[in-house]
Amino acid sequence: MEGIKESIERAFAGKDPERKYWALMLFETEMRLGISNKPNKWVNVNNRFYSNGFEALEAYANTPCPASQLVDSLTKEGLEEEMKQMIVNYSDEKWLEENLYPYL
């Protein structure tokens, strides 16, 4: 699988570096994917990148993935860090209990 940094570079190649960047991160459970029988083990299955905030928010609002997250940053490097932190968050049971499960 392509790394986060490589995905960001490819998605924003040739774009204005002064713009804000967004990533729509899609997560599924290992159980739903048939990888394991752990219902609370999450996997980042796809990422979509945007340089337009309206388009990013519209995609987030219309995604069929209820565990999706929208992260943003003013820089590509910052976006990479936000994405890595979100992946860490999805392995933190306390974070999940407070920030995800009440909304599913």
Side-chain angles (χ1 to χ4, degrees), residues 8 10 13 34-35 47 65 75 80 82 87 102 104:
I8 292 169
R10 185 174 42 80
I35 297 171
N47 300 305
C65 181
T75 66
E80 179 183 2
E82 291 293 326
I87 291 169
L104 290 182

Side-chain angles (χ1 to χ4, degrees), residues 13-103:
K15 303 273 180 165
D16 179 3
E18 300 301 315
R19 300 184 79 158
K20 193 169 184 178
Y21 303 96
W22 289 266
L24 175 59
M25 302 181 71
L26 307 176
F27 291 87
E28 282 291 347
T29 63
E30 283 189 357
M31 187 171 165
R32 182 151 186 190
L33 294 171
I35 297 171
S36 77
N37 61 355
K38 299 175 185 173
N40 295 331
K41 178 82 170 156
W42 292 87
V43 178
N44 177 218
V45 294
N46 197 4
N47 300 305
R48 298 181 191 150
F49 299 96
Y50 300 89
S51 57
N52 178 294
F54 179 79
E55 290 174 3
L57 190 57
E58 183 176 40
Y60 174 69
N62 291 303
T63 183
C65 181
S68 62
Q69 298 291 324
L70 188 61
V71 296
D72 64 84
S73 179
L74 294 174
T75 66
K76 290 187 271 187
E77 296 78 17
L79 185 63
E80 179 183 2
E81 291 305 313
E82 291 293 326
M83 292 175 73
K84 287 179 178 178
Q85 182 58 54
M86 190 57 67
I87 291 169
V88 169
N89 290 347
Y90 268 74
S91 64
D92 179 346
E93 192 60 38
K94 184 177 182 205
W95 187 92
L96 292 167
E97 290 290 337
E98 293 174 4
N99 298 287
L100 180 66
Y101 297 146
Y103 306 101

